[in-house]
Amino acid sequence: MPSSRIAVSGSSGLIGAALVRSLRADGHEVARLVRRPARTGDEVEWDPQRGYMDVAGLVGCDAIVHLAGAGVGDHRWTEAYKREIRDSRVLGTAAVAEAVASLDTPPRVLLSGSAIGFYGDTGSSPVDESAPPGDGFLPSVCEEWEAATAAAEEAGVRTVHARTGLVVGREGGAWGRLFPLFKAGLGGKLGNGRQYWSFIALHDHVAALRHILDTESLAGPVNLTGPRPVTNAEVTAAMGRVLRRPTLFPAPAPALKLVLGEFAEDVLGSQRVIPAKLLDSGFSFAFPDIDGAIRAALR
């Protein structure tokens, strides 16, 4: 893509910050959506709870990448926090989509975040983008989250739902919590370890987002996972190999349920998700295997 103006929400998060660095390194102008009055020329004010967007700040944008949302694993799932998880995604996405639709010259593409939580627990069965939604809280949130882009789609903007898996990175997300434990020799499998984890290296995730922006044929749901999902037991073994630490401290299912409450069901659930659309569109993974993804995060 030639040098462009691209707006990004969630730019302070693990994925958003890495994407902004990548875009700017290639000469793109990035407008960051912030939840306060803009202080610099590269900031655009918005308030997802009120549905407010400084639409003038989006004028001239070729693409919008919307990644903001409350962390799923940041707090115990009280009813109040579950509402925050849902509202931060659904209300925020609706605000972005409606702002996009209101522009006289809308961007070419809206790349909106979603998650493989859409599929629920798939057991050992591989699923791709054609699979239906699962049952439970996260699948229902993902359905509403994706539906909230309707205004942009109706305005004729190419809209992509990036269904993100478990991103292997040191500075945030699930792996941001795993690395210190395993480095201290306190890591181990979760539950029975047979549940599939659909991981993706942070490097590959950013590259996939860039690929989606550039690939006009990609629209609708796109799985952002690596091509070779592995079980939690295999993840545990790989962390031990790469970090050269013992992995002798498993977390039994009852203990996880006691500590995490309802969220434990998703931690112990299995999701074997295949990135069919990415592969079919010619995307190439730099770190398709779990050992390589872990080493890339450490570099």
Side-chain angles (χ1 to χ4, degrees), residues 269-290:
S270 182
Q271 293 188 309
R272 192 176 183 180
V273 179
I274 307 301
K277 284 189 174 181
L278 276 181
L279 294 172
D280 290 346
S281 67
F283 181 75
S284 179
F285 288 85
F287 304 102
D289 298 309
I290 186 61

Side-chain angles (χ1 to χ4, degrees), residues 165-239:
L166 294 167
V167 179
V168 187
R170 273 189 311 179
E171 299 172 353
W175 250 273
R177 298 182 180 191
L178 289 179
F179 274 120
L181 287 174
F182 277 86
K183 283 183 176 180
L186 301 175
K189 67 182 182 180
L190 304 180
N192 60 28
R194 293 194 293 269
Q195 68 273 31
Y196 274 89
W197 279 22
S198 296
F199 71 91
I200 183 169
L202 177 60
H203 172 95
D204 282 333
H205 194 287
V206 171
L209 293 174
R210 300 281 305 268
H211 175 77
I212 290 169
L213 292 176
D214 292 345
T215 307
E216 293 293 331
S217 62
L218 287 173
V222 178
N223 293 334
L224 268 67
T225 60
R228 300 167 193 165
V230 293
T231 64
N232 175 258
E234 291 172 311
V235 168
T236 299
M239 290 287 280

